[in-house]
Amino acid sequence: MSSAVPPRRPDDVLEVRAGDERGLAEPEMLTPRLRRRRAWTLVLLTLVAPGSAQIAAGNRRVGRFALRTAVLVVALLLLAALLSLVSPGLLLGVVAAPWFLGALVGALVLGAVFWAWLFFDAMRLARLSGVGGRTRCLVAIVTVLLMVLTSGALLSAAWVVWAGRTAVTNVFDAHDRHAPVEGRYNILLIGSDGGSDRVGVRTDTLMLASVDAATGRSALFGFARDTENIDFREGSIMHRLMPEGWNCGDQCLLNGIYQWGMEHADRFPKDVKNPGAQATKEAVEALSGLDIQYYAMVDLVGFRRFVDAVGGLDLVVGKRTPMGGGTSKISGWIEPGEQHLDGYHALWYARSREGASNYDRMARQKCVMTAMLHQLDPQTVVLKAQDIAAVSGSVVETDIPSRDLGRLGALAMKARDGEMTTVNFTPPLIDPWRYDPQKVRDIVAKTIAGDPDPTGAEASTADGTAKKPAPSRASGAKTRGTDGNATPQPSKGAKAKYSFSVSDSSGLICAVP
């Protein structure tokens, strides 16, 4: 007895039951509605789980490779997020390495190409010829859009990473690494002013940052550009070249020793890459009594382009500052209060001389440089990497090796969040042209040791009465400034008003929010 054959559907296509996997691989078995659904599913799977379309309907080996790669990428991103919380220095050390950045660029480009191919292959597996014309058009358009969004994003990221690698290799080189000395890193920050209207380079801003390598507790020492009578430490290069010291009156100022070093480069050892910076480092070592591991020099003229590249700087202006003056007319003013300065106004604020002493100018330059260091966070670097790379090599010069960026970067984050004590060796604390070198070194040592009154600001006067500094307007500052008038330290638990500030007897000069 013959069995009855069930009638076929009019379109000779079978409805696939739930759980039947043949439908994704064999669309001919599906109804038109399920073919459309299948086409959309394969494309969207490629977006959320690259390789899933190939596992379901194509080359499973390729699909598994793609999916495992996607899972690995997600795992690495989670690991990076965890490291940023647990060990940011290790993470920064890895991601700042030129070899890693180069490898990351290659991986992003390959990932962009591979993901684009997966979308094209998903569209092929969708068998668009078997769906309606409207669906075929929509699926094709969406696939191209998703391909542009995903692969385009990866290619854009590769370009940003390459720009970041360019910035790192332009600024940081294969310099020697240095260990902390007595548990501290000492880094000389130099603001150079070598504009087209000047002969040579003058290091008009000199700050020595001393940071505890374990805690990040930091001290910042400012030295006047017109400091004279510098006797170099025995055993240094400059002591061999100048056994009598940098002592020739007004012709031998601290800000001129950089140019002297550059003009006499042939007298320095061949392994000294920047004789001017080496001479300046050894001069500040003689003044402070500290061993300096690294220096970083910012060109104030190129600084204008750098500030524009990072989107401007936020500063608190304490005193009305003119733009112009001297031999030129005053073209405008930078008003007191919170200001967001572009490169043009930031440069004028740092260099303006009209109606101000050299020490006011030094203070403003310190605020500008500190603002740049504080506000140049990782997010800004990533978003502005291409613009920063275009100008960084001509603005910043340093002997910090790229291998030390992770360690120093993590330390900088600790220092930025902690308390900073500032001491400016300017009048009335000392006269730069007539001072006791041992007094300067003693103040440095006491500051590093945590002495709450390293300069003796509260010492008794000749008639026996106590001499206390006038209170500063920046009393809420996190910093404790000492330039003849100390900035009061905030009470415990008080929210810091400023991350850095400089004041004098008349009040706040400038601050960094």
Side-chain angles (χ1 to χ4, degrees):
M1 181 177 178
S2 62
S3 60
V5 178
R8 290 177 175 257
R9 296 171 57 108
D11 55 2
D12 201 29
V13 177
L14 296 177
E15 182 79 47
V16 177
R17 297 169 181 260
D20 191 342
E21 298 179 354
R22 292 178 300 166
L24 287 175
E26 303 174 12
E28 294 82 2
M29 302 175 60
L30 302 177
T31 64
R33 179 175 61 86
L34 289 180
R35 290 181 188 178
R36 292 192 296 270
R37 182 180 298 177
R38 174 183 179 277
W40 284 112
T41 299
L42 292 176
V43 170
L44 295 178
L45 277 176
T46 304
L47 173 65
V48 297
S52 297
Q54 285 70 30
I55 293 176
N59 189 321
R60 293 190 174 184
R61 180 178 297 179
V62 173
R64 284 192 292 267
F65 172 78
L67 190 58
R68 288 169 182 169
T69 301
V71 171
L72 177 62
V73 169
V74 172
L76 290 175
L77 290 175
L78 293 175
L79 177 62
L82 179 63
L83 279 177
S84 68
L85 299 174
V86 177
S87 180
L90 177 61
L91 177 63
L92 183 58
V94 172
V95 300
W99 67 265
F100 175 81
L101 295 175
L104 183 57
V105 169
L108 288 170
V109 172
L110 289 176
V113 173
F114 187 42
W115 208 347
W117 180 85
L118 289 176
F119 272 112
F120 273 120
D121 191 53
M123 191 164 55
R124 177 186 66 83
L125 295 174
R127 309 279 182 88
L128 297 183
S129 59
V131 299
R134 180 181 177 184
T135 300
R136 182 164 55 246
C137 182
L138 286 175
V139 170
I141 291 174
V142 170
T143 302
V144 172
L145 288 176
L146 292 178
M147 181 187 66
V148 171
L149 288 175
T150 54
S151 297
L154 292 180
L155 290 175
S156 297
W159 182 256
V160 170
V161 173
W162 182 256
R165 183 183 185 279
T166 302
V168 169
T169 55
N170 281 347
V171 176
F172 303 95
D173 203 348
H175 299 288
D176 294 332
R177 297 181 70 181
H178 298 286
V181 176
E182 297 182 356
R184 302 188 73 86
Y185 279 106
N186 303 309
I187 303 174
L188 181 62
L189 306 176
I190 305 172
S192 67
D193 199 355
S196 58
D197 58 338
R198 305 188 66 178
V199 177
V201 174
R202 297 292 184 271
T203 53
D204 285 351
T205 300
L206 290 162
M207 298 185 292
L208 178 59
S210 182
V211 186
D212 188 295
T215 65
R217 184 177 181 276
S218 58
L220 189 65
F221 305 99
F223 296 90
R225 60 191 288 272
D226 51 352
T227 302
E228 301 179 13
N229 306 320
I230 302 170
D231 295 319
F232 299 99
R233 297 196 293 184
E234 291 187 8
S236 65
I237 297 173
M238 290 304 296
H239 184 267
R240 175 177 59 81
L241 298 177
M242 291 183 180
E244 302 300 324
W246 184 241
N247 298 311
C248 58
D250 292 344
Q251 300 302 313
C252 292
L253 304 181
L254 178 57
N255 74 329
I257 200 168
Y258 182 94
Q259 187 62 26
W260 186 93
M262 299 305 291
E263 293 173 353
H264 299 83
D266 57 332
R267 302 176 61 181
F268 286 76
K270 292 184 178 180
D271 61 345
V272 175
K273 296 183 179 181
N274 187 321
Q278 183 67 29
T280 306
K281 284 171 66 175
E282 293 189 1
V284 177
E285 285 180 334
L287 289 169
S288 65
L290 300 178
D291 294 325
I292 299 175
Q293 289 95 343
Y294 302 119
Y295 80 92
M297 185 167 69
V298 177
D299 172 31
L300 290 179
V301 176
F303 174 78
R304 172 179 173 177
R305 294 189 297 130
F306 192 87
V307 171
D308 287 334
V310 300
L313 294 179
D314 293 319
L315 283 172
V316 178
V317 177
K319 301 178 180 180
R320 197 172 190 233
T321 307
M323 296 186 294
T327 58
S328 61
K329 293 182 179 180
I330 295 177
S331 60
W333 296 84
I334 299 173
E335 301 295 340
E338 295 185 3
Q339 300 285 353
H340 182 77
L341 304 178
D342 60 13
Y344 174 78
H345 291 87
L347 181 59
W348 261 118
Y349 187 66
R351 301 181 75 190
S352 178
R353 296 177 181 272
E354 182 70 17
S357 67
N358 280 331
Y359 310 118
D360 286 336
R361 188 168 178 260
M362 283 175 55
R364 286 188 268 109
Q365 290 181 355
K366 288 177 185 178
C367 282
V368 168
M369 291 179 66
T370 304
M372 181 182 70
L373 293 174
H374 275 241
Q375 295 167 29
L376 200 61
D377 53 35
Q379 181 179 0
T380 300
V381 172
V382 170
L383 295 177
K384 304 287 185 178
Q386 188 174 348
D387 295 329
I388 292 173
V391 300
S392 58
S394 62
V395 175
V396 181
E397 180 182 332
T398 184
D399 61 353
I400 297 174
S402 58
R403 293 177 299 165
D404 238 4
L405 286 178
R407 180 166 48 174
L408 294 178
L411 195 59
M413 286 186 279
K414 285 184 180 180
R416 185 168 61 179
D417 296 334
E419 179 188 317
M420 177 187 293
T421 302
T422 64
V423 178
N424 295 319
F425 292 107
T426 59
L429 182 58
I430 68 165
D431 293 328
W433 54 90
R434 185 179 60 251
Y435 61 94
D436 179 2
Q438 188 58 48
K439 177 182 177 181
V440 174
R441 291 190 285 269
D442 287 344
I443 291 174
V444 170
K446 289 179 180 179
T447 302
I448 289 176
D451 190 326
D453 186 28
T455 65
E458 299 185 12
S460 297
T461 60
D463 60 3
T465 59
K467 181 182 178 182
K468 278 197 172 185
S472 165
R473 295 179 193 171
S475 59
K478 191 187 298 184
T479 54
R480 196 168 61 236
T482 307
D483 53 1
N485 288 307
T487 303
Q489 191 176 2
S491 59
K492 290 184 179 181
K495 183 178 180 180
K497 184 177 181 181
Y498 304 128
S499 60
F500 177 84
S501 65
V502 183
S503 304
D504 61 12
S505 57
S506 64
L508 179 68
I509 297 176
C510 59
V512 179

